[in-house]
Amino acid sequence: MENLVTEKEYEIHYYEVDYKRRVLITNIINYFCDVATKQSEDRNVGLDYMRENNIAWVLYKWHIDVHRYPLHGEKVIVTTRPHSFRKFYGYRKFQIIDEKGEIIVEANSIWFLIDIKKRRPKRINDYILEAYKVSKDNDERGILEIPDIACVESIDNEKTFNVRYSDIDTNGHVNNVKYVSWAIETVPLEIIKNYALKSITINYEKETKYGEIINAFVQIIKEDKKIICIHKITDKEGNELTIAQSIWKQ
């Protein structure tokens, strides 16, 4: 089957950037999720189809590499394509392309399909495969590998957050972008001012809901011209919700 690619143009707005006029990594992820939703809606397997069939896509892992941040006022093209499916796993790729046609951000992601009522994985059916133009026998494409994340061995900084109504997504759980925001909030301001976030890897392990108290921890490893931050997010009982690793370079 042909390779299905969906693209959408975005203009970088003032409210989407940091003090250096660079788009925030959380908004990059918002673009990715938005264009993936557009593809699903265009192919008639969007939010209505999910609700009618009591299923949902849940994000499992991200790996994002930023070669250059789009700046305020720039127009970029964000693309996505389904890479492959296996059982209940979906593998999806993303790119951001600038006005010169250069790829400035790349990402791989892993999702899994769940039965909303049973809260269990749901095998991807032929209708979904056909909608995304992915062959049932798609082993030749393989899976997308996401780098492993080391365990937090010591805590250099921590913060506590309350889950707000605005943090909740269409599935009734915390939007995946919020975990990234919580993780980055633990990075000291001096790092954010003097370094740029160049890559981030995220593993989502457990969902949380409105009203929960969230604890975010970070271990900071300083290397030559590079800082590695290892993140852990837990609920108030100490259950691990998300782990992440961010790499910052000068």
Side-chain angles (χ1 to χ4, degrees):
M1 288 189 176
E2 65 181 278
N3 193 20
L4 179 68
V5 178
T6 297
E7 64 179 45
K8 185 175 179 179
E9 183 181 84
Y10 295 84
E11 181 177 346
I12 310 304
H13 297 102
Y14 178 76
Y15 54 81
E16 296 174 313
V17 301
D18 64 12
Y19 76 103
K20 292 184 177 180
R21 301 198 307 164
R22 302 173 303 193
V23 69
L24 294 164
I25 189 70
T26 47
N27 285 321
I28 286 175
I29 298 174
N30 280 329
Y31 299 160
F32 289 158
C33 293
D34 185 56
V35 75
T37 300
K38 171 178 168 52
Q39 183 176 86
S40 297
E41 294 292 337
D42 290 347
R43 304 299 298 172
N44 296 315
V45 284
L47 297 176
D48 289 343
Y49 175 81
M50 295 280 118
R51 184 178 62 253
E52 290 165 5
N53 290 274
N54 295 308
I55 55 178
W57 286 108
V58 175
L59 185 57
Y60 178 35
K61 293 184 179 182
W62 274 118
H63 177 73
I64 304 169
D65 288 315
V66 180
H67 309 305
R68 180 181 75 79
Y69 280 93
L71 300 175
H72 172 241
E74 271 195 76
K75 292 182 179 179
V76 296
I77 298 294
V78 182
T79 73
T80 187
R81 66 177 179 87
H83 178 76
S84 60
F85 293 107
R86 287 192 177 184
K87 296 181 180 178
F88 46 81
Y89 287 103
Y91 301 87
R92 178 174 286 279
K93 298 178 74 70
F94 299 87
Q95 292 181 338
I96 297 181
I97 302 168
D98 68 12
E99 292 176 283
K100 296 179 180 179
E102 295 180 356
I103 299 169
I104 58 175
V105 183
E106 297 178 271
N108 290 338
S109 62
I110 305 175
W111 308 68
F112 59 86
L113 192 67
I114 64 166
D115 182 309
I116 293 175
K117 291 184 175 179
K118 297 180 180 178
R119 305 306 297 176
R120 293 193 308 199
K122 176 84 171 180
R123 182 174 286 272
I124 298 166
N125 61 38
D126 291 345
Y127 181 79
I128 294 175
L129 290 173
E130 176 66 29
Y132 290 119
K133 296 188 177 181
V134 175
S135 169
K136 190 171 185 178
D137 181 18
N138 60 85
D139 287 346
E140 72 279 359
R141 294 191 183 186
I143 63 175
L144 295 178
E145 298 292 344
I146 303 289
D148 293 331
I149 298 172
C151 296
V152 171
E153 295 181 353
S154 61
I155 297 172
D156 295 308
N157 199 16
E158 62 183 273
K159 289 192 176 183
T160 300
F161 304 92
N162 293 313
V163 178
R164 305 164 302 173
Y165 172 75
S166 59
D167 297 331
I168 305 303
D169 64 14
T170 55
N171 294 324
H173 294 83
V174 172
N175 186 291
N176 69 82
V177 176
K178 299 301 179 181
Y179 296 92
V180 179
S181 179
W182 293 332
I184 291 175
E185 281 290 336
T186 63
V187 178
L189 187 59
E190 64 182 55
I191 294 176
I192 292 174
K193 283 185 174 181
N194 296 302
Y195 293 78
L197 175 59
K198 300 301 290 184
S199 74
I200 187 166
T201 306
I202 310 145
N203 288 13
Y204 298 96
E205 300 182 344
K206 189 180 178 186
E207 298 173 313
T208 191
K209 297 182 179 180
Y210 173 74
E212 276 283 356
I213 296 174
I214 301 302
N215 299 306
F217 307 92
V218 66
Q219 177 185 358
I220 300 169
I221 302 169
K222 295 184 178 181
E223 298 184 357
D224 184 34
K225 296 183 179 180
K226 180 173 73 173
I227 292 177
I228 301 171
C229 294
I230 304 173
H231 307 268
K232 179 175 70 171
I233 296 173
T234 69
D235 61 20
K236 61 177 179 291
E237 283 81 30
N239 297 310
E240 202 164 80
L241 306 177
T242 300
I243 57 173
Q245 177 176 286
S246 58
I247 297 178
W248 305 71
K249 296 181 179 179
Q250 290 182 317

